[in-house]
Amino acid sequence: MIWLAIFLAAAGAVYYLLVLLAALTWRRRVPPAVELPKISILKPVHGREPRFYEALRSHAEQDYPEFELLFAVHDAADPALEDIRRLAREYPHLSIRTLVSGRQAPNAKVALLADLAAAARHPVLVINDSDIRVPQGYLRTLAACLAQPRTGVVTCFYRAASASVAARWEAIGIATEFIPGVMMARLLGLAQFALGATMALRAEVLEKIGGFESLQHYLADDYQLGRHVALAGHGVSFAPMVVETDLGAETWSSVWRHQLRWSRTIRVSSPRGYMGYALTHATAWSLLAAAAGAWEVGAAVLALRIAAGVAAGAGVLGDRAVLWQWPLIPLRDLCGFAVWLAGLTGDTVEWRGRRLRVSRDGKVHPCQ
């Protein structure tokens, strides 16, 4: 028992050593300036997200020669349209258009994206979630990264703002568990996926992989977009910047449903990766090692895990709250372990008020 506990703890230590290395070697250098192509920003919208207008303004205020902002909704009475109309009034010099889509697809967001891509006028497409706030220089950085050889899609890390204890709990998980895992995958050259916080690619590359129509049956459309681009022979690049999402005032039940949806989606998208993810739960294995009598091993692994979380969350993502909330990391890890265990079974998820079934090929189907 003690040797098994030490082995599992050691596996977790190796994982977080790689995370720490990825965080310490992360470079924020922007590639050299290039000719700046015209850009279409595609934003599928479903309701008014927390601080939605602030997110819109961060895009409208970009210092970039020529770009357009395209929005799409399914409902002509969507409350988000009020903010979009306000944006058009305050920035009359920008090209801002809104589509009301009647397209249906298992993934409703991808249905909106398909219509947005068809309406886009420019050769470079930038897609991000409706609540994403971006820093100044966002478009210039994406254009520079996309101009690098073999790059097919550019994505980037994100941190989360929150307005409730439950939402902050999820934000800690994003900053110290989820994104560190992405950093490690990038370090090892295994990050052949994109994050919905930002996806930038050329329209010709999107057409090459079959357009958004080829993704309409997948729930993890961002993961699948990066994967499809990689399978087409192009590289996935991470831009040297961080954007911000807003979790709002989520409740504990909504956080649980959100986390479980992620877990089940990851499991069906990458079953072997999901099972291997068990070895990354260093907190659980360090406690097991301590309980088995190897408390020195357990303490060392736990300290390494916390150090890696702080380096990634505060150092790379700029989530300063991690600097004083780090004692919560082990507790958050144990909750994450519970979510992982729950994600081992079941094939249904809740998303935007719909109950969907996820099949073994990663596609979603309405529950009967």
Side-chain angles (χ1 to χ4, degrees):
M1 175 64 179
I2 187 171
W3 294 112
L4 175 61
I6 291 175
F7 169 77
L8 292 171
V14 170
Y15 175 81
Y16 278 105
L17 274 173
L18 291 172
V19 169
L20 188 59
L21 178 62
L24 294 177
T25 58
W26 172 248
R27 296 182 178 181
R28 298 181 183 275
R29 185 179 64 84
V30 177
V34 295
E35 182 179 352
L36 301 176
K38 298 177 182 178
I39 289 178
S40 295
I41 302 176
L42 314 184
K43 294 190 76 69
V45 176
H46 178 78
R48 181 184 280 158
E49 304 283 356
R51 299 171 67 185
F52 177 62
Y53 192 70
E54 294 176 26
L56 300 187
R57 288 190 63 184
S58 70
H59 292 74
E61 294 179 350
Q62 288 295 301
D63 175 20
Y64 196 83
E66 188 169 352
F67 67 97
E68 63 176 351
L69 270 165
L70 302 182
F71 301 90
V73 296
H74 279 299
D75 185 356
D78 194 304
L81 292 175
E82 180 181 342
D83 284 333
I84 296 172
R85 288 190 286 266
R86 175 186 169 191
L87 188 77
R89 291 194 301 269
E90 292 190 9
Y91 297 88
H93 62 286
L94 291 182
S95 174
I96 300 175
R97 291 184 286 148
T98 304
L99 311 175
V100 178
S101 174
R103 186 189 294 256
Q104 299 297 315
N107 185 324
K109 171 188 167 185
V110 174
L112 294 178
L113 285 171
D115 281 348
L116 286 168
R121 296 169 177 161
H122 300 325
V124 171
L125 309 177
V126 172
I127 304 105
N128 58 31
D129 294 333
S130 60
D131 64 339
I132 294 295
R133 287 189 297 281
V134 303
Q136 192 54 256
Y138 174 73
L139 294 181
R140 289 178 179 270
T141 300
L142 292 179
C145 292
L146 196 58
Q148 301 305 300
R150 294 192 66 255
T151 299
V153 62
V154 180
T155 189
C156 68
F157 300 143
Y158 66 95
R159 61 177 175 266
S162 57
S164 70
V165 174
R168 183 58 209 163
W169 194 252
E170 183 170 5
I172 294 173
I174 290 172
T176 67
E177 179 186 0
F178 175 68
I179 295 297
V182 176
M183 292 179 185
M184 191 276 294
R186 175 185 172 277
L187 177 72
L188 299 181
L190 303 175
Q192 295 187 337
F193 53 84
L195 301 177
T198 288
M199 299 179 288
L201 73 167
R202 299 175 187 84
E204 61 188 37
V205 172
L206 179 64
E207 183 178 357
K208 181 179 179 180
I209 66 170
F212 283 110
E213 290 81 358
S214 66
L215 309 177
Q216 63 182 338
H217 293 284
Y218 295 99
L219 184 59
D221 52 275
D222 50 357
Y223 174 91
Q224 293 294 338
L225 177 66
R227 180 172 177 272
H228 279 58
V229 169
L231 289 174
H234 302 281
V236 178
S237 172
F238 282 76
M241 61 181 169
V242 178
V243 300
E244 186 171 275
T245 188
D246 201 315
L247 302 177
E250 287 188 325
T251 63
W252 290 107
S253 60
S254 66
V255 167
W256 173 261
R257 290 193 300 271
H258 189 197
Q259 295 287 317
L260 186 58
R261 186 179 77 234
W262 271 358
S263 289
R264 287 177 174 168
T265 302
I266 293 170
R267 190 194 81 217
V268 297
S269 298
S270 179
R272 286 183 296 179
Y274 190 79
M275 296 308 296
Y277 190 54
L279 297 177
T280 71
H281 290 285
T283 295
W285 308 136
S286 66
L287 294 178
L288 180 64
W295 64 267
E296 301 95 336
V297 173
V301 171
L302 187 59
L304 174 61
R305 188 271 172 271
I306 292 174
V310 172
V316 176
L317 300 183
D319 189 338
R320 311 308 292 179
V322 172
L323 290 175
W324 57 272
Q325 293 178 338
W326 64 263
L328 298 176
I329 291 177
L331 294 176
R332 174 58 187 78
D333 281 355
L334 294 178
C335 290
F337 186 55
V339 171
W340 181 82
L341 290 173
L344 287 170
T345 60
D347 61 357
T348 60
V349 296
E350 294 183 31
W351 187 59
R352 291 187 172 180
R354 301 174 64 196
R355 191 167 180 80
L356 304 169
R357 182 177 62 82
V358 187
S359 58
R360 291 184 178 180
D361 56 3
K363 297 181 179 181
V364 291
H365 311 271
C367 287
Q368 301 298 326

